[in-house]
Amino acid sequence: MAGAACQEVRSTCPYCGTGCGVLLRPDGAGGLAVRGDPDHPANRGRLCSKGLALGETLGLEGRLLAPQVNGQQTDWDSALDLVAARFRQAVEQHGPDSVGFYLSGQMLTEDYYVANKLMKGFLGSANIDTNSRLCMASTVAGHKRAFGTDTVPGTYEDLDEADLIVLVGSNLAWCHPVLHQRILAAREARGTRLVVIDPRRTASCDQADMHLKLRAGSDVALFNRLLAALHEGGALDAEYLRHVNGLGEALDAAFAADAAVTGLESSEIAAFCELWMRTDKVVTIFSQGVNQSTSGTDKVNAILNCHLASGRIGKPGCGPFSVTGQPNAMGGREVGGLANMLACHMDLENSGHRAAVQEFWDAPAMPERAGLKAVDLFRAAGDGRLKALWIIHTNPAVTMPEADAVAAAIKTCEFTVVSDITAATDTARLADVLLPAAGWAEKDGTVTNSDRTISRQRAALPPPGEARADWDILADAGRRMGWGAAFDYQSPAQIFREHAALSGLAGSFGLDFDISGLSGLSDSDYEGLRPVRWPVSRSRQGGRFFADGQFFHPDGKARMLPVRCRPPAASQDRQYPFRLNTGRIRDQWHTMTRTGKAPRLSAHLAEPFADIHPEDARRLGVQPADLLRLSSPHGQAILRARITADVQPGDLFVPIHWTGETAPSARIDTLVAAAVDPVSGQPESKAAVVAAERWQAAWYGFAVSRRPMAPRTDYWAMTRTKTGYRAELAGSPPLGDAEAAARTLFAMPDAELQMMTDSSRGITRLALCRDGRVQAALFTAPEPVAVSRDYLAGLPGTCASGILTGVPAADQPDPGPLVCACFNVGASSILQAIETGGLLSVADVGAALQAGTNCGSCRSDIAALLARAAVPHAAE
Ligand SMILES: Nc1nc2c(c(=O)[nH]1)N[C@H]1C(S)=C(S)[C@@H](COP(=O)(O)OP(=O)(O)OC[C@H]3O[C@@H](n4cnc5c(=O)[nH]c(N)nc54)[C@H](O)[C@@H]3O)O[C@H]1N2
Ligand SMILES: Nc1nc2c(c(=O)[nH]1)N[C@H]1C(S)=C(S)[C@@H](COP(=O)(O)OP(=O)(O)OC[C@H]3O[C@@H](n4cnc5c(=O)[nH]c(N)nc54)[C@H](O)[C@@H]3O)O[C@H]1N2
Ligand code: SF4
Ligand SMILES: [Mo]
């Protein structure tokens, strides 16, 4: 820990489910140098831009450092006594189902285990759900329907050995960049084919052999067509099918399907089926384009059907592969932290499983029915059924569908507790009690990545202020509620041993999740634990599942499901003619509470946007850089329009990352209806319907400042820069006195002013200075402001006399928009190097500037710059 000042600490990246190993070297001043762990099997030393920038996210600015009750700072005893009393009181007066926990796939396994035990075994309710409901619930349900358990059959090695990899609803290049690079390396080495199935063109399509730009929500029809084609082409595996039930019904459904609903050419579909059929080693990777749908579970089973029927599962280089989003999405499923699970893949509704867990925990009360799933949990918080709600490690006021209603529910609920590392999230602002949590670099535990590998996360820094680890906070609350012995945990190692021992019970019921081989770890074994893939028991060790055709349904067989394509719940109509697709960008993590602190991560895409097809833009009279107003029955949003044929006519794509703290008009889940999949309860986050129109502002602005700004305009979006902050602004009432507006925006009533106005064009440019150095600058115009943003963002703190021109003088470099976040290289620098150095390939650019040589996710942008520079042979 902190004492081991300069030694490298082996840990795991806290972002995506790839689960990359990191080596952290404390600098002795609260910072960390971060590099990839060459010995970790998930990444073998590689990191993406987000992992590489972890050291920039550690600052204490914005951290929650002490407990608060009703906005007043207090001590831990007062805060936790209150939490314990209110939860006990609610259970006593209104029954166990009057309380709830809403957790996160980013919690460590040990945190999760304690929360699940406290709610299910002691408070006696199953009202414990997590953001995994928004993320992986459809996969869990699909796996259980097909396999009898929630098992990810394959491993990352399968990506190295496959001959065909199909990405369905996954933008792997941006969301799991290290896995994507691993696939591209295999492609280089052995010619692996890559197919992308996504209604929009993404960075993952750049190196793909085929992009099937299907209509949103139509995946089931495509995979049904594939199943039928496998049958027609004689590609079913009769031997393997002896282990599988349901072929006949599934085929009937497949033959009844009409692939025309995908909107794809029949020749494209035929080429895809042909490629699949011809290739023995096929991995199908799927993610949120599959899960986040009202037919998410059916989409999962449509994919699993094809792998089961063709025997392409359980063998090297084969299998359906759900890549998990959050670093411990898998661990959360393993401890059973969802409202319809028990623990260790045991079943809440199975009385034998329930009795065994109750005895193991020595628990006073166990629920017999599933609890409320996320959407219903917040509805119950809003309508008074829940009397006490504890939200840990997640920001539902931003990320739940119908986010305005969720925010209102959190505020309305009689008693809400939020555990977070950040003081002012949209959710934290609504809570009665705030509890300061230790962050990823400050606490110990384990996480499980997408391929079932359990890795240690290790503390490299002391927790700041009074922050405590989540497991410790939960266990303390459990003791104060009166269950001293059950929650008498001294360390995460102790919790892990208990969890591992409980999994032995699951193993004895014949279930897949069994890590009882780790239940005897000593504290020092746990400290030194190397990455290990489950199962870990006397009879099983790591490896693939289902090679032997043994499944976990009572008859030991797998099940194929008859699935039929259903369109998304909401249909486009005259009032709401656009379909709203939502997702992620390369360099931000969810609500940006951590990645938003790193200037180079914020530089990639600094503003929320809506991608709109050129035909739609023309029809709506939308020009490049205009603002677009979106509205749905649930809310409104204003974002910058990006006109691009990457999206289909009638579709819009918007990123999910902006919040009340960073761009209040771009909180996208205010627009999204809470329609859920009937099997999994997972919301349809990618197919709401909205209206769109050009939003005409009276003025537009761009501002830079050394300190945070306090914008109060209809539209604003603020991000970090190396010198401070930058903001885009727009307002519908006229700006009026620009100087007064700027002084308020920057809270600088008496700084020196430099100002330039061009009243004929309505343009104002002003800078506020101290001692000759620029502190802040504001540029306004009646049209979207045209200035060099990257140049201006570098100026606060300098004595740049030419700031009011808005562009660099001829002798000064303008780095241009950031392209490579790993090495901080801008587009202008790359273009200049291409011209002056006569560079011909992405590899040349890498050799000259390092750009694109680490995580590789900007290589397609570099290729585009090479093409723009009109150099012949601009390929790799
Ligand atoms: N940079 C970054 N990486 C992340 C995260 C992050 O916040 N930032 N978050 C992590 C988490 S928690 C998750 S869950 C993963 C998510 O990882 P992904 O699922 O890869 O990411 P998304 O951008 O949500 O959505 C993937 C794609 O689904 C497509 N899609 C939409 N509708 C459909 C459809 O009907 N069918 C098909 N086939 N595709 C469709 C979208 O166009 C989008 O390109 O990323 C993880 N990694
Ligand atoms: N429209 C739409 N909505 C979506 C999605 C989508 O694709 N489209 N994706 C959905 C998916 S897949 C996901 S996973 C969710 C993600 O959504 P959320 O989980 O709500 O988003 P995060 O920003 O990851 O929230 C994590 C919170 O935990 C805090 N935190 C960080 N470290 C710690 C810690 O160690 N302890 C504690 N207690 N707190 C900590 C952070 O400050 C932050 O407030 O969004 C979902 N919502
Ligand atoms: S791919 Fe990037 S975000 Fe994901 S675990 Fe690895 S370094 Fe972290
Ligand atoms: Mo997720």
Side-chain angles (χ1 to χ4, degrees):
M1 246 214 46
C6 285
Q7 267 189 345
E8 273 190 323
V9 177
R10 229 174 252 280
S11 190
T12 314
C13 173
Y15 299 128
C16 84
T18 304
C20 296
V22 291
L23 293 171
L24 311 175
R25 187 186 294 281
D27 63 8
L32 289 176
V34 181
R35 65 183 181 110
D37 179 352
D39 299 328
H40 197 288
N43 58 318
R44 301 176 193 141
R46 273 187 178 277
L47 292 180
C48 76
S49 48
K50 292 181 295 300
L52 213 61
L54 275 165
E56 292 170 32
T57 65
L58 298 167
L60 291 190
E61 192 189 327
R63 278 292 294 262
L64 177 64
L65 295 172
Q68 289 179 19
V69 173
N70 299 326
Q72 300 298 314
Q73 190 165 320
T74 184
D75 53 56
W76 274 108
D77 280 337
S78 318
L80 285 183
D81 280 343
L82 179 69
V83 172
R86 293 294 297 260
F87 272 79
R88 283 301 297 251
Q89 204 179 25
V91 171
E92 278 155 24
Q93 293 175 0
H94 305 278
D97 288 337
S98 67
V99 300
F101 288 173
Y102 184 66
L103 312 178
S104 163
Q106 297 166 61
M107 290 168 72
L108 304 181
T109 297
E110 293 74 4
D111 302 331
Y112 236 131
Y113 178 86
V114 178
N116 193 48
K117 179 177 176 182
L118 179 57
M119 180 53 83
K120 295 212 178 103
F122 291 78
L123 288 162
S125 171
N127 285 342
I128 171 170
D129 215 42
T130 96
N131 60 6
S132 287
R133 186 68 59 197
L134 316 178
C135 184
M136 292 287 132
S138 297
T139 289
V140 173
H143 281 162
K144 285 174 85 169
R145 290 204 302 193
F147 307 145
T149 52
D150 173 23
T151 314
V152 172
T155 68
Y156 287 161
E157 287 82 64
D158 292 324
L159 306 180
D160 309 330
E161 294 180 49
D163 291 314
L164 168 63
I165 295 182
V166 184
L167 301 181
V168 195
S170 153
N171 183 9
L172 206 73
W174 280 11
C175 295
H176 300 84
V178 167
L179 284 186
H180 191 68
Q181 288 303 314
R182 186 165 176 162
I183 291 172
L184 295 184
R187 184 175 162 80
E188 192 85 9
R190 69 203 308 276
T192 315
R193 300 300 200 93
L194 186 62
V195 175
V196 177
I197 300 176
D198 194 309
R200 89 187 157 113
R201 192 192 151 79
T202 66
S204 304
C205 300
D206 289 339
Q207 279 102 339
D209 298 280
M210 206 184 273
H211 172 206
L212 298 181
K213 208 169 179 181
L214 83 180
R215 214 168 268 152
S218 65
D219 306 72
V220 169
L222 180 63
F223 280 89
N224 264 339
R225 181 64 222 132
L226 174 61
L227 182 61
L230 289 171
H231 182 261
E232 289 162 352
L236 300 189
D237 182 338
E239 182 57 28
Y240 199 80
L241 279 164
R242 290 194 300 120
H243 307 292
V244 181
N245 286 324
L247 172 69
E249 295 89 327
L251 276 177
D252 288 347
F255 277 104
D258 179 7
V261 299
T262 60
L264 298 168
E265 299 290 331
S266 48
S267 57
E268 289 178 280
I269 299 180
F272 168 62
C273 294
E274 179 63 28
L275 182 59
W276 219 93
M277 214 159 16
R278 267 197 280 119
T279 317
D280 286 333
K281 293 184 170 181
V282 183
V283 171
T284 306
I285 290 181
F286 55 98
S287 186
Q288 299 315 343
V290 169
N291 291 325
Q292 290 174 336
S293 156
T294 45
S295 51
T297 310
D298 285 350
K299 288 188 186 187
V300 171
N301 286 109
I303 294 169
L304 302 187
N305 280 350
C306 294
H307 281 273
L308 287 168
S310 60
R312 287 177 172 84
I313 185 168
K315 298 178 195 149
C318 280
F321 204 137
S322 150
V323 282
T324 50
Q326 300 178 89
N328 201 29
M330 291 283 272
R333 285 145 72 173
E334 288 149 26
V335 303
L338 283 156
N340 51 334
M341 294 175 148
L342 184 51
C344 303
H345 291 186
M346 283 181 274
D347 234 320
L348 189 63
E349 276 153 31
N350 177 318
S351 58
H353 293 181
R354 237 178 16 241
V357 176
Q358 181 157 16
E359 191 188 331
F360 181 89
W361 281 344
D362 195 11
M366 293 281 285
E368 297 182 358
R369 288 176 291 112
L372 296 172
K373 299 184 178 121
V375 167
D376 292 328
L377 189 73
F378 284 100
R379 286 192 178 138
D383 67 20
R385 278 174 289 153
L386 276 197
K387 307 295 179 195
L389 173 65
W390 192 344
I391 298 167
I392 305 177
H393 211 322
T394 175
N395 196 356
V398 183
T399 53
M400 282 285 294
E402 296 179 23
D404 286 345
V406 168
I410 296 169
K411 200 165 165 51
T412 316
C413 183
E414 278 178 25
F415 186 68
T416 336
V417 184
V418 168
S419 301
D420 208 293
I421 60 166
T422 311
T425 71
D426 288 5
T427 304
R429 277 195 261 117
L430 304 167
D432 301 299
V433 177
L434 286 183
L435 302 175
W440 72 276
E442 302 148 8
K443 63 180 187 182
D444 284 281
T446 53
V447 290
T448 309
N449 73 2
S450 295
D451 88 338
R452 290 181 274 115
T453 298
I454 299 173
S455 297
R456 278 295 317 274
Q457 191 168 296
R458 293 183 178 86
L461 297 171
E466 296 190 42
R468 288 165 63 177
D470 287 304
W471 67 264
D472 180 31
I473 301 171
L474 282 155
D476 194 346
R479 292 192 294 272
R480 286 169 204 259
M481 289 174 194
W483 300 299
F487 295 95
D488 185 22
Y489 297 118
Q490 306 302 317
S491 68
Q494 191 188 350
I495 302 166
F496 185 82
R497 283 190 289 269
E498 184 176 313
H499 168 55
L502 179 55
S503 77
L505 272 182
S508 69
F509 285 114
L511 296 176
D512 60 337
F513 180 71
D514 185 346
I515 55 165
S516 53
L518 301 172
S519 61
L521 294 186
S522 67
D523 286 359
S524 70
D525 294 339
Y526 179 79
E527 192 41 47
L529 184 68
R530 304 305 305 261
V532 54
R533 185 183 288 136
W534 66 259
V536 191
S537 68
R538 215 170 292 148
S539 57
R540 290 213 57 160
Q541 180 76 52
R544 283 177 198 87
F545 277 93
F546 310 141
D548 54 4
Q550 270 303 307
F551 291 87
F552 295 96
H553 285 298
D555 61 4
K557 292 190 176 185
R559 286 191 191 146
M560 288 174 63
L561 273 287
V563 284
R564 287 178 184 82
C565 189
R566 282 175 280 122
S571 43
Q572 288 146 285
D573 59 18
R574 219 176 250 268
Q575 200 182 356
Y576 298 111
F578 285 95
R579 177 131 349 256
L580 183 71
N581 184 2
T582 67
R584 291 153 170 81
I585 62 172
R586 190 187 80 190
D587 287 351
Q588 294 295 351
W589 178 261
H590 299 163
T591 67
M592 300 202 253
T593 60
R594 289 173 287 173
T595 45
K597 287 182 167 183
R600 62 176 149 157
L601 296 183
S602 298
H604 176 231
L605 290 166
E607 196 187 7
F609 57 85
D611 283 346
I612 181 168
H613 191 273
E615 280 171 25
D616 292 325
R618 202 171 315 123
R619 216 164 25 79
L620 298 179
V622 172
Q623 302 289 326
D626 273 352
L627 290 166
L628 209 54
R629 178 167 46 200
L630 309 185
S631 45
S632 86
H634 304 284
Q636 303 237 335
I638 301 174
L639 314 95
R640 189 75 59 185
R642 287 204 322 189
I643 301 170
T644 165
D646 287 352
V647 295
Q648 304 185 28
D651 284 1
L652 302 171
F653 174 81
V654 294
I656 60 172
H657 306 286
W658 276 269
T659 69
E661 296 288 308
T662 47
S665 77
R667 291 167 51 242
I668 221 59
D669 272 302
T670 62
L671 295 167
V672 176
V676 301
D677 177 275
V679 186
S680 68
Q682 176 153 358
E684 185 148 73
S685 310
K686 289 188 162 23
V689 291
V690 297
E693 61 184 343
R694 178 169 180 271
W695 187 69
Q696 175 67 57
W699 63 277
Y700 298 80
F702 176 70
V704 291
S705 167
R706 296 188 76 170
R707 292 186 303 159
M709 300 169 232
R712 279 193 203 89
T713 49
D714 300 285
Y715 173 79
W716 61 265
M718 185 163 56
T719 48
R720 293 296 291 263
T721 63
K722 266 186 279 178
T723 61
Y725 297 82
R726 62 185 266 187
E728 299 288 343
L729 309 159
S732 56
L735 179 63
D737 179 348
E739 179 187 342
R743 290 193 183 281
T744 312
L745 173 68
F746 302 123
M748 297 182 74
D750 46 19
E752 302 152 36
L753 175 76
Q754 288 181 26
M755 185 152 135
M756 194 180 92
T757 47
D758 175 343
S759 37
S760 64
R761 289 159 63 208
I763 289 174
T764 299
R765 296 177 167 191
L766 63 83
L768 293 174
C769 307
R770 262 204 189 108
D771 306 326
R773 288 181 187 273
V774 176
Q775 304 299 310
L778 173 66
F779 293 72
T780 68
E783 298 300 329
V785 176
V787 288
S788 168
R789 284 161 167 72
D790 302 283
Y791 165 69
L792 289 174
L795 293 188
T798 68
C799 48
S801 49
I803 187 166
L804 295 187
T805 62
V807 290
D811 59 345
Q812 283 185 33
D814 177 0
L818 186 80
V819 174
C820 171
C822 297
F823 294 111
N824 246 323
V825 192
S828 310
S829 315
I830 295 175
L831 280 170
Q832 202 190 4
I834 292 170
E835 270 161 36
T836 54
L839 308 183
L840 295 176
S841 68
V842 175
D844 289 350
V845 172
L849 299 171
Q850 284 187 293
T853 57
N854 179 53
C855 80
S857 50
C858 64
R859 292 165 71 90
S860 55
D861 295 336
I862 297 174
L865 290 173
L866 282 157
R868 205 169 99 194
V871 176
H873 315 300
E876 281 192 53

